[in-house]
């Protein structure tokens, strides 16, 4: 315990950025991109007593999922966001909400720094981050994703994941690789909680085609249409029975309000990185809670720091559906955190230690770090 209370200043002295790269155990395929190697930035925010909060940039090397990349995030952190904190000072991580409003977009860059500062704040108060957020779930609901690898491989992978203890499977679909894949999976696993994620593969002209998925009893279809298609998603929902879940389309609380006004979705995949961190995520969470929209916590094929943050977020009561929360071992031979994330029987136990509850595995960090830069505040 460091004897500090909220309001007396967080005394952040240093911020370190570590550029890391790790190969995935096997490539992750979507119709937009094949991810074989994951780059990221791990952030350490260190206070005057050496207490350290951890954050992670979840942007990819190229802008296939959103417009940000690891490099744009590095630039934003170094040249814009860290200097903002340096010039303003900080007594509470909530102040970042206002401070970051002066910077347009760049959600993943903002989220990474915000994560580190929330984690630091919780560690300064010697309490788990989920406790600060108001989380109540002791274990969070987990699920795994099967990439677009062709029908037979996808069935085999789903089988392996079910044997490992996952109880919900999401599959990637796109035009021409959809109906037959879902039909085969449904035939192989008649009662499985199954959903499909299209990452914007379709247009409204495909409504009749997407209607063919109705017969397979999917839990939902995630982001069938374009990022900007809130109106079209609303029209599509009028034509298909499968509930629509939005991912890429919900970047700001304002997007969420629009989606609610338009009835564009019944479910939201919430990701800290995509929306810019805890402050906006909690706003979106509340909008969903107040308007009967179901929520689950998304994933970004991320490293353990972001995984641990996801678990904190998913302890909130409204995360009533299993998320894309998987074990460290799903993608990594060895993760960068000192306590790997493990899914058992469809859930992950929350950590009881302060902050996000995990630290860095220094040996592994050394192996995967290509560059480190430190900023004194
Ligand atoms: O659309 O949810 C998505 C991975 C990277 C980028 C976007 C998405 C995904 C996933 C995999 O679906 C989630 C995971 O297992 O981490
Ligand atoms: Mg998605």
């Amino acid at each position: 315990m460091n004897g500090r209370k909220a309001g007396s200043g967080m005394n952040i002295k240093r911020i370190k950025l570590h550029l890391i790269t790790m190969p995935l155990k096997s490539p992750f395929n979507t119709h937009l991109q094949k991810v074989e190697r994951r780059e990221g930035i791990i952030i350490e925010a260190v206070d005057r007593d050496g207490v350290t909060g951890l954050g992670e940039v979840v942007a990819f090397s190229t802008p296939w999922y959103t417009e940000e990349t690891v490099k744009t995030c590095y630039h934003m952190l170094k040249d814009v966001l860290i200097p903002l904190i340096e010039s303003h000072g900080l007594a509470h991580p909530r102040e970042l909400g206002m401070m970051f409003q002066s910077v347009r977009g760049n959600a993943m860059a903002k989220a990474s720094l915000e994560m580190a500062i929330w984690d630091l704040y919780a560690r300064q108060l010697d309490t788990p981050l989920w406790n600060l957020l108001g989380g109540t779930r002791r274990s969070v609901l987990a699920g795994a994703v099967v990439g677009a690898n062709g029908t037979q491989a996808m069935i085999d992978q789903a089988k392996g994941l079910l044997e490992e203890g996952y109880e919900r499977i999401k599959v990637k679909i796109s035009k021409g690789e959809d109906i037959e894949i879902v039909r085969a999976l449904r035939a192989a696993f008649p009662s499985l909680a199954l959903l499909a994620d299209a990452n914007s593969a379709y247009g409204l002209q495909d409504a009749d085609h997407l209607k063919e998925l109705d017969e397979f009893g999917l839990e939902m279809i995630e982001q069938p249409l374009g990022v900007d298609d809130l109106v079209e998603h609303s029209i599509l929902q009028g034509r298909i029975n499968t509930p629509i879940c939005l991912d890429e389309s919900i970047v700001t609380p304002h997007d969420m309000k629009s989606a609610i006004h338009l009835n564009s979705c019944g479910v939201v995949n919430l990701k800290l990185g995509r929306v810019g961190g805890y402050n906006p995520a909690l706003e979106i969470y509340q909008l969903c809670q107040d308007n009967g929209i179901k929520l689950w916590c998304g994933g970004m094929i991320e490293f353990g720091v972001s995984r641990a943050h996801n678990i904190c977020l998913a302890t909130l009561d409204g995360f009533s559906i299993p998320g894309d929360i998987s074990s460290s071992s799903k993608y990594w031979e060895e993760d960068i955190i000192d306590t790997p994330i493990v899914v058992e029987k469809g859930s992950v136990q929350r950590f009881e230690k302060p902050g996000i509850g995990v630290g860095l595995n220094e040996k592994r960090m050394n192996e995967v770090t290509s560059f480190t830069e430190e900023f004194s505040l």
Side-chain angles (χ1 to χ4, degrees):
M1 186 63 195
N2 306 289
R4 252 141 331 125
K5 295 271 188 307
S8 66
M10 287 187 67
N11 291 300
I12 301 172
K13 291 294 175 217
R14 279 173 296 145
I15 294 177
K16 294 189 217 174
L17 305 182
H18 307 279
L19 187 61
I20 65 171
T21 311
M22 217 192 274
L24 270 69
K25 275 176 156 178
S26 57
F28 185 83
N29 294 313
T30 72
H31 74 106
L32 297 170
Q33 182 80 27
K34 174 180 193 166
V35 182
E36 295 184 270
R37 215 175 53 94
R38 190 75 168 95
E39 263 188 310
I41 303 168
I42 299 301
I43 302 187
E44 293 186 272
V46 188
D47 78 2
R48 64 171 178 206
D49 300 320
V51 180
T52 302
L54 299 173
E56 177 177 328
V57 166
V58 296
F60 292 94
S61 307
T62 61
W64 65 272
Y65 169 71
T66 64
E67 69 279 15
E68 292 180 88
T69 67
V70 173
K71 277 194 181 145
T72 68
C73 288
Y74 204 94
H75 157 59
M76 287 305 300
L77 286 163
K78 175 173 178 165
D79 300 323
V80 179
L81 301 175
I82 293 173
L84 256 186
I85 290 176
E86 189 177 0
S87 63
H88 284 73
L90 209 57
H92 191 285
R94 288 229 180 242
E95 294 168 13
L96 291 168
M98 281 289 276
M99 204 186 291
F100 285 174
Q101 272 178 24
S102 64
V103 178
R104 289 196 191 271
N106 295 284
M108 291 177 183
K110 290 173 179 170
S112 65
L113 193 51
E114 216 237 23
M115 284 179 199
I117 289 170
W118 272 102
D119 181 30
L120 172 61
Y121 188 69
R123 290 182 200 251
Q124 288 178 340
L125 297 179
D126 205 23
T127 190
L129 179 51
W130 52 257
N131 186 37
L132 280 189
L133 302 173
T136 52
R137 296 176 182 275
R138 300 193 147 269
S139 62
V140 308
L141 301 168
V145 185
V146 172
N149 301 324
T151 309
Q152 193 52 51
M154 289 168 83
I155 289 175
D156 294 345
Q157 282 158 14
K159 189 159 178 286
L161 289 164
L162 295 174
E163 281 164 8
E164 274 180 53
Y166 294 96
E167 295 171 357
R168 181 226 69 160
I169 301 285
K170 166 171 136 181
V171 290
K172 293 292 193 182
I173 59 165
S174 62
K175 279 187 193 179
E177 297 193 45
D178 42 19
I179 313 291
E180 290 322 309
I181 287 171
V182 173
R183 187 192 306 283
L185 279 156
R186 183 45 90 210
F189 312 105
S191 59
L192 173 64
L194 181 67
L195 55 140
D197 184 2
N199 290 106
S200 301
Y202 304 93
L204 197 50
Q205 72 278 3
D206 301 311
D208 289 342
H209 180 71
L210 292 171
K211 176 125 191 85
E212 290 179 46
L213 289 173
D214 277 352
E215 68 174 283
F216 304 115
L218 295 177
E219 303 284 305
M220 65 195 84
I221 180 166
E222 182 178 341
Q223 195 69 39
L225 310 180
V227 179
D228 301 320
D229 291 352
L230 285 181
V231 173
E232 288 83 351
H233 276 107
S234 170
I235 297 169
L236 178 65
Q237 188 65 93
R239 298 197 192 157
I240 65 174
N241 297 331
T242 310
I244 291 177
C245 167
L246 290 178
D247 174 355
E248 287 91 324
S249 289
I250 306 296
V251 178
T252 64
H254 182 263
D255 294 334
M256 195 63 242
K257 284 182 199 161
S258 301
I260 289 165
H261 283 306
L262 290 166
N263 283 313
S264 306
C265 65
V267 193
V268 166
N269 164 346
L270 191 53
K271 296 180 185 174
L272 287 169
R274 192 190 69 231
V275 305
Y278 285 102
N279 292 311
L282 293 173
E283 256 188 80
I284 292 171
Y285 172 84
Q286 201 53 52
L287 285 165
C288 289
Q289 289 290 87
D290 293 347
N291 290 279
I293 309 280
K294 291 187 191 157
L295 276 159
W296 52 277
C297 180
M300 287 290 289
I301 326 176
E302 60 255 278
F303 300 106
V305 169
S306 178
R307 275 168 208 277
H309 276 283
N310 290 345
I311 292 168
C312 290
L313 181 68
T315 61
L316 292 174
D317 187 53
F319 286 87
S320 56
I321 307 178
D324 287 345
I325 295 180
S326 55
S327 301
S328 288
S329 62
K330 178 155 192 290
Y331 298 113
W332 314 123
E333 289 295 348
E334 187 181 359
D335 204 342
I336 53 155
I337 49 174
D338 56 11
T339 319
I341 311 284
V342 181
V343 172
E344 277 168 336
K345 295 198 181 113
S347 59
V348 183
Q349 301 302 309
R350 71 183 183 203
F351 291 107
E352 302 296 336
K353 289 190 193 159
I356 57 172
V358 300
L360 293 175
N361 171 344
E362 296 297 342
K363 175 184 150 288
R364 187 62 176 147
M365 276 297 287
N366 281 334
E367 287 167 0
V368 299
T369 301
S370 53
F371 182 74
T372 293
E373 195 169 8
E374 184 171 319
F375 303 87
S376 296
L377 268 59

